[in-house]
Amino acid sequence: MHRKKHPFIIILNLLLFALILLFYYTNNLVITIKGISPLLILPLLAAFSIFHSPIVSAIVGLIAGIFMDSCVVGSYCFNAITLLVIAAFVSVSSSNLFNKNIQSASVLSLITCAFYYVALWLCFHNSNVSLTDSLIYLLKYAFPSAIFSSVFIIPFYFIYKHFHKITSE
């Protein structure tokens, strides 16, 4: 299938990713429930990756991860690698295993958000603390954050579905 390149869609993609990252790191968009805030870049990247090739998705995940790592001290390319893997996984699995519908997008978003928070827990929050504190972090923050983050796949999915329809015409 031949896809048109729309400069307006590319600019909207850049603005959407930039605004989500900007709002997250400046705390201007504060959506919290009992101290749990979503990481909106994960469902945004999942929605983007559903409708794009694995190479494009991986590059966008890598770039978004690099920007996230530049805002965090001591992450050592964690976000760049993790978002690259997440974007490639979502793109490949949405093309080969799942349909490109909202139910599949919700499942993929939940899987990727859970993967991100478990990887974050394993790399940074699991060492130098007791097992009880580590499990409390996992159960009281990581899993609820993954669920809360994955809820936002719904608007992002429909935005990228519309973008995909425009570029496919």
Side-chain angles (χ1 to χ4, degrees), residues 122-141:
L122 286 173
C123 291
F124 297 110
H125 298 286
N126 198 18
S127 60
N128 300 329
V129 295
S130 68
L131 180 64
T132 307
D133 291 340
S134 182
L135 289 176
I136 286 173
Y137 170 81
L138 187 64
L139 296 175
K140 287 205 170 214
Y141 180 75

Side-chain angles (χ1 to χ4, degrees), residues 39 42 78-79 82 86 109-127 134-135 137-147 149:
L39 183 57
L42 296 174
F78 170 79
N79 290 313
T82 306
I86 284 173
S109 179
L110 186 61
I111 289 169
T112 57
C113 289
F115 172 78
Y116 178 84
Y117 282 106
V118 168
L120 185 70
W121 172 70
L122 286 173
C123 291
F124 297 110
H125 298 286
N126 198 18
S127 60
S134 182
L135 289 176
Y137 170 81
L138 187 64
L139 296 175
K140 287 205 170 214
Y141 180 75
F143 287 147
S145 292
I147 293 168
S149 296

Side-chain angles (χ1 to χ4, degrees), residues 9-84:
I9 300 295
I10 294 169
I11 291 169
L12 284 176
N13 279 324
L14 288 171
L15 284 175
L16 197 55
F17 274 94
L19 284 175
I20 292 297
L21 286 171
L22 183 71
F23 285 149
Y24 182 73
Y25 285 109
T26 59
N27 291 329
N28 286 332
L29 181 68
V30 180
I31 306 170
T32 59
I33 298 175
K34 294 188 177 184
I36 297 169
S37 60
L39 183 57
L40 295 179
I41 195 72
L42 296 174
L44 179 66
L45 184 62
F48 178 87
S49 299
I50 287 171
F51 295 106
H52 290 84
S53 70
I55 299 292
V56 171
S57 299
I59 290 170
V60 169
L62 179 66
I63 292 170
I66 288 170
F67 281 121
M68 286 178 70
D69 285 331
S70 68
C71 297
V72 178
V73 175
S75 68
Y76 305 111
C77 298
F78 170 79
N79 290 313
I81 294 167
T82 306
L83 292 185
L84 181 139

